[in-house]
Amino acid sequence: MKTIALFFFAMFITFGLCACDQDNHHDQKISIEVLKAFEQKFPDAVGVEWEKDGKYYVADFRSALPEGQTGVKYELEAWFDSSANWRMTVKDVTYDMLPQVVKDGFTASNFGAWIVEDSDIVERNGKDTVYVLEVEQGHQERYLYFNSAGELTQERKNGSDDYRDLL
């Protein structure tokens, strides 16, 4: 019985080491140009993890809060193209961190009485910032897209925090 247990333990360790080895090499698939562009744009990034999404390189990471604010660090997702151009950043924020004009737009919308479950700020290269609210009421859920003027520009019944279509 000890032999079987030892065998499975050895297999577990072997597979674990292989998985770690693959994770360590994952970042090597990201070009040095993309890594440099990322480091320049986000010098205080911590906990960076990279993945490839189609023709984009996506970094998931945390960054410091703005000066004067305390609490949990922002969770961000930065998108770069293969030429190392920053394309978009998705920042997971609390509702209170949204601009007042966006909160006013939400309150004035047909969904103003719904519960806000999540808020994201999507900053894009050369395009208007988009504010996305995930709201729910009972068993219904919606993703609401607001522009920087606080206008509701899009509503989705089914959605996710995949903002690839905003690129």
Side-chain angles (χ1 to χ4, degrees), residues 7 10 20 22 33 45 56-57 65 76 78 88 91 106 144 167:
F7 172 77
C20 290
Q22 289 172 356
E33 293 81 12
Y56 298 101
Y57 296 98
L65 289 166
L76 298 107
M88 171 174 74
K91 186 184 303 184
F106 167 67
L144 308 176
L167 290 166

Side-chain angles (χ1 to χ4, degrees), residues 95 101-113 146 150 152:
Y95 179 78
V101 67
V102 174
K103 292 188 278 189
D104 292 344
F106 167 67
T107 303
S109 76
N110 293 335
F111 301 94
F146 291 86
L152 178 61

Side-chain angles (χ1 to χ4, degrees), residues 21-115:
D21 187 51
Q22 289 172 356
D23 287 344
N24 290 338
H25 294 295
H26 186 68
D27 288 350
Q28 292 179 4
K29 296 177 185 175
I30 309 303
S31 74
I32 192 71
E33 293 81 12
V34 170
L35 291 172
K36 284 182 182 179
F38 173 79
E39 289 173 6
Q40 184 176 10
K41 184 147 184 78
F42 303 100
D44 61 345
V46 294
V48 181
E49 293 182 16
W50 286 95
E51 66 180 292
K52 185 124 170 43
D53 188 335
K55 63 182 181 176
Y56 298 101
Y57 296 98
V58 183
D60 288 309
F61 62 102
R62 292 181 314 280
S63 186
L65 289 166
E67 191 168 326
Q69 292 187 11
T70 59
V72 181
K73 294 183 177 205
Y74 285 123
E75 289 186 25
L76 298 107
E77 185 178 272
W79 293 63
F80 289 83
D81 62 24
S82 59
S83 298
N85 297 307
W86 169 77
R87 300 300 306 261
M88 171 174 74
T89 301
V90 179
K91 186 184 303 184
D92 187 16
V93 298
T94 64
Y95 179 78
D96 294 338
M97 297 171 135
L98 295 174
Q100 189 61 46
V101 67
V102 174
K103 292 188 278 189
D104 292 344
F106 167 67
T107 303
S109 76
N110 293 335
F111 301 94
W114 290 41
I115 297 170

